[in-house]
Amino acid sequence: MKSFDKIVATDVDGTLFNSERSVSDKDLDTLRKLRSDGICTVLATGRSIWSFTKLAGSDFPVDYLVFSCGAGVMDWQKKEVIYRTGIEDAGIAKVKKYLNFISADYCIHDAIPDNHRFFIYRTNKENPDFDSRVNSYIPFIKEKDDITSATQFLAVFRHGDHSQLIADAERVLGDEFQIIRSTSPMDKKSLWMEIYAKGVSKAVGIEQIAELYKVGKNNIMAIGNDYNDEDMLKWAGRSYVVSNSPHELKERYITVPSNDESGFSKAVDDWLND
């Protein structure tokens, strides 16, 4: 087995990938150099395996993929899932009951590795971002809700102040489930509330890799751009955010140029030369 003594972990959308949904030549060169120097490269994303592969291709130059916000980890070079979690029958019923009670538009995603397939529950409310998200995956919508082991729920809410919504969800579901807030990568303003098995996070996914190679936190760097990155930013030994991040994250972490200005490469250079 390969040996690593350092890890660089980066979020995908809005961090490594730019506004054109591509990666700059500079950042690709940085990834390749890290790998040639024996530093483990990890992508930590809310995307499923299928979604990330559609975005980046199957030969993207990294070592590991932490996908679905940490619900699973894939050895990207071997294309093997080495860690996975899920929500079973009783939990599925409880989350459905709550989301129906608050009249949410939501998807329930099948078990890993098929979690790009999902069943939808839709209200009659206008919700353009939810419609866009669903329409992007039409071939994978299940006609029948026969999911008995789910990877996650995804509820989409229109732009606004959702602090009370998140607080209420934490109060009702937080003891049993992991609730992850993120800004929609589609319209850049709607709230995505993702519900996973308790303990799921990007940090936990990266930790599976760190434990595999006995890498301590002091030798782990993380970079992100949104609220669903904060668990890994808090956990890593050194953390950065790109300048297109929310203001409150930029107050807490080292800020580098935006995802359109190769901020990833700047963060790596700063970390390695500290």
Side-chain angles (χ1 to χ4, degrees), residues 161-175:
D161 181 3
H162 296 299
S163 54
Q164 190 59 52
L165 177 75
I166 295 294
D168 289 344
E170 288 281 4
R171 177 177 52 81
V172 176
L173 301 174
D175 288 344

Side-chain angles (χ1 to χ4, degrees), residues 233-250:
L233 297 174
K234 287 179 180 177
W235 177 82
R238 177 76 68 85
S239 295
Y240 300 82
V241 293
V242 283
S243 63
N244 49 292
S245 304
H247 179 70
E248 58 195 279
L249 293 184
K250 291 190 285 186

Side-chain angles (χ1 to χ4, degrees), residues 9-219:
T10 177
D11 170 56
V12 174
D13 295 277
T15 303
L16 181 65
F17 279 67
N18 60 30
S19 299
E20 302 300 319
R21 294 195 172 187
S22 62
V23 182
S24 70
D25 290 341
K26 184 174 183 177
D27 285 345
L28 280 173
D29 287 344
T30 296
L31 281 171
R32 294 187 181 106
K33 187 172 190 313
L34 286 168
R35 297 190 70 225
S36 68
D37 289 345
I39 297 174
C40 182
T41 53
V42 178
L43 299 185
T45 179
R47 290 177 179 267
S48 65
I49 297 169
W50 180 89
S51 177
F52 176 74
T53 304
K54 181 184 177 184
L55 173 73
S58 60
D59 59 349
F60 197 78
V62 292
D63 297 298
Y64 287 90
L65 180 71
V66 173
F67 60 91
S68 299
C69 289
V73 178
M74 170 177 270
D75 181 323
W76 186 247
Q77 295 302 308
K78 294 180 179 178
K79 299 296 187 284
E80 294 178 0
V81 175
I82 62 170
Y83 171 78
R84 71 187 76 200
T85 61
I87 304 171
E88 305 308 319
D89 286 346
I92 290 171
K94 182 167 184 175
V95 177
K96 279 183 184 176
K97 182 178 179 180
Y98 178 73
L99 293 176
N100 290 336
F101 175 74
I102 65 172
S103 298
D105 293 314
Y106 66 94
C107 308
I108 173 173
H109 287 253
D110 219 334
I112 293 169
D114 295 321
N115 55 316
H116 55 289
R117 302 184 184 279
F118 59 93
F119 188 82
I120 62 172
Y121 288 82
R122 189 198 302 268
T123 66
N124 292 322
K125 297 176 295 185
E126 185 179 357
N127 196 340
D129 192 67
F130 181 77
D131 294 339
S132 295
R133 205 271 178 180
V134 168
N135 290 338
S136 297
Y137 289 84
I138 285 176
F140 304 111
I141 298 174
K142 297 169 70 77
E143 294 184 4
K144 181 180 178 183
D145 182 6
D146 56 359
I147 298 173
T148 57
S149 180
T151 300
Q152 72 179 98
F153 287 77
L154 169 62
V156 179
F157 301 91
R158 297 191 68 179
H159 179 56
D161 181 3
H162 296 299
S163 54
Q164 190 59 52
L165 177 75
I166 295 294
D168 289 344
E170 288 281 4
R171 177 177 52 81
V172 176
L173 301 174
D175 288 344
E176 299 178 53
F177 305 97
Q178 196 73 27
I179 298 168
I180 298 177
R181 165 194 178 191
S182 61
T183 305
S184 168
M186 305 192 78
D187 71 4
K188 314 298 183 187
K189 59 184 180 180
S190 295
L191 168 72
W192 283 18
M193 183 169 72
E194 300 178 78
I195 303 171
Y196 293 91
K198 189 67 176 176
V200 165
S201 71
K202 291 183 178 182
V204 169
I206 300 165
E207 190 172 12
Q208 306 305 309
I209 302 163
E211 289 179 353
L212 187 64
Y213 296 104
K214 310 300 181 190
V215 180
K217 286 186 187 181
N218 288 341
N219 288 320

